[in-house]
Amino acid sequence: MIRAENLMKSYADTTVVDIAELKLPQGGVTALIGPNGAGKSTLLSMIGRLETPTKGSVFLDGQDIRSIRNTDLARRLAVLKQDNTLSARLTVRDLVTFGRYPYSKGRTTPQDRQKVAASLELVALTPFTDRFLDELSGGQRQRAFVAMVLAQDTEYALFDEPLNSLDISHAVTVIRLLRQAASDLGKTVVVVLHDLNFAARHADHIIAMQAGRIVESGPAKQIIREDLLRSLYDTELSVTTRNGRVFVDVFG
Ligand code: ADP
Ligand code: MG
């Protein structure tokens, strides 16, 4: 289980994350929602040890992440960051092969190569395997990064806005993959989502953040409420249920 205590991040005298206690549900898909600047990325980065908290600690299965060796952490937890920029000229295959690095240490086995191919197949990028990343569309590149995380095959997988720049068909493909990773493979998936309908339909749990704090968290059905979402985003919207499905409509 991922747990955090007194977790705080400040820049100069501005506190951007301040969470007394966080227990991420084990297994399933947990969506992190909230307006721009709420602290979602900062929280995810601290959980993944990509950012150092100003105060407090994150525990992975009871162990303070600061005391976990890099390779060990990379075999247990993977993070897809929000802004994936790579200066090196890499092919799709090179990128996804990085996901195997914690296991292969650069000496890929047939099993690693098979994992890479399978992950590319899952995101429908097989025909682009030998393309350079800078020869892809934004959405194709985004799917390549998702494939890299899938290839890492960790128990915990954190995704920061993985549906960014995906068309509706590929957004559905990717969210279903995350759903499957949780439901079929028993992984714990944490995902920052902006599409509240996707959160309502595909997440088991939702954590709502605003101004660095957790406003409310719980089962998806409990969080997708008009009063909570209106105040969270300061926006007029409605939540309705039709044929057992929840719809969030934003009046814009
Ligand atoms: P979210 O992902 O919810 O949109 P972020 O975690 O990216 O929010 O950012 C939370 C707040 O922290 C924002 O107000 C942002 O401007 C600020 N912030 C993030 N990174 C830095 C930084 N390196 N220096 C100063 N402020 C930062
Ligand atoms: Mg963010």
Side-chain angles (χ1 to χ4, degrees), residues 41 82 160-161:
S41 295
Q82 185 172 356
D160 199 347
E161 299 195 30

Side-chain angles (χ1 to χ4, degrees), residues 36-135:
N36 295 144
K40 306 178 298 295
S41 295
T42 306
L43 173 61
L44 222 61
S45 294
M46 289 194 287
I47 292 173
R49 212 176 65 184
L50 302 172
E51 293 250 19
T52 311
T54 306
K55 272 194 212 158
S57 312
V58 175
F59 301 90
L60 186 65
D61 299 328
Q63 196 179 0
D64 190 320
I65 55 165
R66 277 174 293 214
S67 68
I68 302 177
R69 286 172 51 232
N70 289 346
T71 306
D72 187 18
L73 187 66
R75 287 179 183 178
R76 291 159 70 184
L77 182 146
V79 192
L80 176 68
K81 289 188 46 158
Q82 185 172 356
D83 307 303
N84 294 296
T85 43
L86 277 178
S87 48
R89 199 157 195 249
L90 297 174
T91 65
V92 170
R93 188 203 311 277
D94 295 336
L95 178 74
V96 180
T97 302
F98 276 143
R100 298 305 300 164
Y101 194 82
Y103 309 92
S104 68
K105 298 290 166 72
R107 300 173 63 143
T108 50
T109 63
Q111 195 203 350
D112 291 320
R113 285 190 283 276
Q114 193 207 329
K115 279 264 186 209
V116 169
S119 302
L120 285 170
E121 189 67 41
L122 286 173
V123 298
L125 276 185
T126 305
F128 298 90
T129 304
D130 294 308
R131 280 273 193 102
F132 284 101
L133 293 175
D134 59 8
E135 296 168 348

Side-chain angles (χ1 to χ4, degrees), residues 22-252:
L22 170 70
K23 282 183 179 165
L24 286 170
Q26 186 71 10
V29 174
T30 297
L32 211 51
I33 65 167
N36 295 144
K40 306 178 298 295
S41 295
T42 306
L43 173 61
L44 222 61
S45 294
M46 289 194 287
I47 292 173
R49 212 176 65 184
L50 302 172
E51 293 250 19
T52 311
T54 306
K55 272 194 212 158
S57 312
V58 175
F59 301 90
L60 186 65
D61 299 328
Q63 196 179 0
D64 190 320
I65 55 165
R66 277 174 293 214
S67 68
I68 302 177
R69 286 172 51 232
N70 289 346
T71 306
D72 187 18
L73 187 66
R75 287 179 183 178
R76 291 159 70 184
L77 182 146
V79 192
L80 176 68
K81 289 188 46 158
Q82 185 172 356
D83 307 303
N84 294 296
T85 43
L86 277 178
S87 48
R89 199 157 195 249
L90 297 174
T91 65
V92 170
R93 188 203 311 277
D94 295 336
L95 178 74
V96 180
T97 302
F98 276 143
R100 298 305 300 164
Y101 194 82
Y103 309 92
S104 68
K105 298 290 166 72
R107 300 173 63 143
T108 50
T109 63
Q111 195 203 350
D112 291 320
R113 285 190 283 276
Q114 193 207 329
K115 279 264 186 209
V116 169
S119 302
L120 285 170
E121 189 67 41
L122 286 173
V123 298
L125 276 185
T126 305
F128 298 90
T129 304
D130 294 308
R131 280 273 193 102
F132 284 101
L133 293 175
D134 59 8
E135 296 168 348
L136 299 177
S137 74
Q140 290 163 345
R141 200 157 38 237
Q142 179 72 1
R143 274 146 58 209
F145 278 97
V146 170
M148 177 181 68
V149 172
L150 295 175
Q152 203 172 326
D153 198 14
T154 51
E155 177 174 7
Y156 299 95
L158 318 178
F159 296 88
D160 199 347
E161 299 195 30
L163 309 184
N164 240 357
S165 69
L166 298 190
D167 63 47
I168 47 173
S169 147
H170 288 110
V172 169
T173 303
V174 167
I175 196 78
R176 284 195 181 146
L177 281 175
L178 305 192
R179 183 67 259 168
Q180 244 171 33
S183 304
D184 302 350
L185 307 173
K187 298 184 185 296
T188 298
V189 173
V190 182
V191 55
V192 177
L193 288 178
H194 277 302
D195 188 316
L196 298 171
N197 284 303
F198 272 38
R201 273 168 217 160
H202 301 282
D204 301 298
H205 312 274
I206 298 181
I207 297 174
M209 280 188 79
Q210 190 178 42
R213 294 173 184 270
I214 294 174
V215 176
E216 207 172 312
S217 68
K221 280 197 186 76
Q222 199 175 299
I223 303 299
I224 300 293
R225 301 193 318 267
E226 260 169 27
D227 63 315
L228 192 155
L229 297 177
R230 280 179 183 169
S231 118
L232 190 67
Y233 292 99
D234 191 21
T235 297
E236 269 309 298
L237 51 79
S238 73
V239 176
T240 47
T241 305
R242 281 172 257 149
N243 303 323
R245 283 177 75 147
V246 175
F247 292 84
V248 182
D249 289 306
V250 180
F251 309 125

